[in-house]
Amino acid sequence: MEELWFRPLVWTDYRLAMSFAVIIPTILIIWSLVRQAEAISRLLIIYWRVASLLMITIYLLVPAWGVENSAFENLCGQIGFITALIARVLIPIALWFWVDLNDEIKDLPPSFLKLMVVSWRWAMTVYCSLGVIASVPFLSCAFSLDLLSSPFCQVWIEAPLGYRSIIHSDATQGFIGFLGLLGLSVYVLYFGYFLLIRLGKQGRLALEQ
């Protein structure tokens, strides 16, 4: 694993994800709620609903660590590489999709909060766009069991494994995979319901519920 030239880049990606996808938006949503900046709060709520797929991806990748995994554990890992790519596609869409919400944020009076939100939104968009490009070669990990167990793919599971050692040290890989698939099922059902029913019939009002 140490011989992989891109291993430091993978760990850098996870560190950037922790900063841009978790720490900064957590600070911003608390800040916006305190300041009662409704438009910014709505944007961040939308973001967190969509970005939860990143956490689900972590749970799906953990079971695929190692070479002697069950078919279920390998399946979780394969799905995890797919959801990792999908999450990076959906997040920028969620941040920019609502034109009227964008206009509300644009019309807000100048403030440090507004500057931080606009800067973070552009930074997150660039980060996810570059991430999509970087993730494409590793999408092959989702379609080859031999490749999934190789260092080429396993390097992406090192950081999720570290998360497991801190949060779920006593849990088996299979149980963590079950949690990941359960979370993914709920995510897909809600996302499908939102797209097919709430969004189609209610448009922007779908966000108010």
Side-chain angles (χ1 to χ4, degrees), residues 150-207:
S150 70
F152 178 79
C153 298
Q154 291 284 302
V155 67
W156 286 97
I157 308 177
E158 287 184 321
L161 200 68
Y163 169 82
R164 173 203 176 185
S165 67
I166 297 173
I167 306 298
H168 300 286
S169 58
D170 297 328
T172 64
Q173 292 188 180
F175 178 71
I176 294 175
F178 168 76
L179 292 179
L181 285 180
L182 179 62
L184 181 62
S185 299
V186 173
Y187 187 96
V188 170
L189 288 174
Y190 178 82
F191 191 70
Y193 170 71
F194 179 81
L195 288 179
L196 299 177
I197 299 178
R198 285 174 56 177
L199 180 62
K201 292 183 178 180
Q202 302 172 36
R204 168 66 184 275
L205 293 178
L207 295 175

Side-chain angles (χ1 to χ4, degrees), residues 60-61 63-81 141-142 144-146 148-149 154 173:
L60 290 172
L61 288 177
W65 176 259
V67 295
E68 297 181 357
N69 300 318
S70 66
F72 173 76
E73 291 169 342
N74 285 330
L75 176 63
C76 290
Q78 290 174 300
I79 296 174
F81 279 96
C141 299
S144 171
L145 291 179
D146 291 335
L148 180 64
S149 60
Q154 291 284 302
Q173 292 188 180

Side-chain angles (χ1 to χ4, degrees), residues 2-208:
E2 295 288 348
E3 298 177 356
L4 293 174
W5 65 268
F6 57 84
R7 184 172 182 265
L9 298 178
V10 172
W11 277 93
T12 298
D13 176 71
Y14 276 111
R15 293 186 182 100
L16 290 174
M18 179 61 66
S19 298
F20 287 122
V22 180
I23 297 176
I24 294 177
T26 298
I27 294 173
L28 291 177
I29 194 169
I30 295 173
W31 192 356
S32 67
L33 291 172
V34 171
R35 292 285 300 274
Q36 296 183 337
E38 186 177 353
I40 293 176
S41 297
R42 286 178 182 172
L43 175 69
L44 289 165
I45 290 172
I46 295 170
Y47 164 78
W48 279 113
R49 287 174 178 173
V50 175
S52 61
L53 187 58
L54 291 175
M55 179 56 68
I56 293 172
T57 296
I58 295 296
Y59 279 81
L60 290 172
L61 288 177
V62 168
W65 176 259
V67 295
E68 297 181 357
N69 300 318
S70 66
F72 173 76
E73 291 169 342
N74 285 330
L75 176 63
C76 290
Q78 290 174 300
I79 296 174
F81 279 96
I82 297 174
T83 57
L85 178 62
I86 294 175
R88 294 175 188 264
V89 173
L90 291 179
I91 287 174
I93 295 175
L95 289 176
W96 297 99
F97 180 77
W98 304 100
V99 176
D100 48 351
L101 189 56
N102 295 336
D103 291 338
E104 286 184 37
I105 295 175
K106 183 179 179 180
D107 292 338
L108 290 174
S111 67
F112 189 55
L113 173 59
K114 178 182 177 181
L115 175 62
M116 290 298 295
V117 169
V118 172
S119 300
W120 166 76
R121 186 156 65 156
W122 278 108
M124 193 66 185
T125 301
V126 172
Y127 166 71
C128 287
S129 299
L130 293 176
V132 168
I133 297 173
S135 298
V136 169
F138 297 95
L139 194 58
S140 56
C141 299
F143 303 101
S144 171
L145 291 179
D146 291 335
L147 198 58
L148 180 64
S149 60
S150 70
F152 178 79
C153 298
Q154 291 284 302
V155 67
W156 286 97
I157 308 177
E158 287 184 321
L161 200 68
Y163 169 82
R164 173 203 176 185
S165 67
I166 297 173
I167 306 298
H168 300 286
S169 58
D170 297 328
T172 64
Q173 292 188 180
F175 178 71
I176 294 175
F178 168 76
L179 292 179
L181 285 180
L182 179 62
L184 181 62
S185 299
V186 173
Y187 187 96
V188 170
L189 288 174
Y190 178 82
F191 191 70
Y193 170 71
F194 179 81
L195 288 179
L196 299 177
I197 299 178
R198 285 174 56 177
L199 180 62
K201 292 183 178 180
Q202 302 172 36
R204 168 66 184 275
L205 293 178
L207 295 175
E208 311 293 338

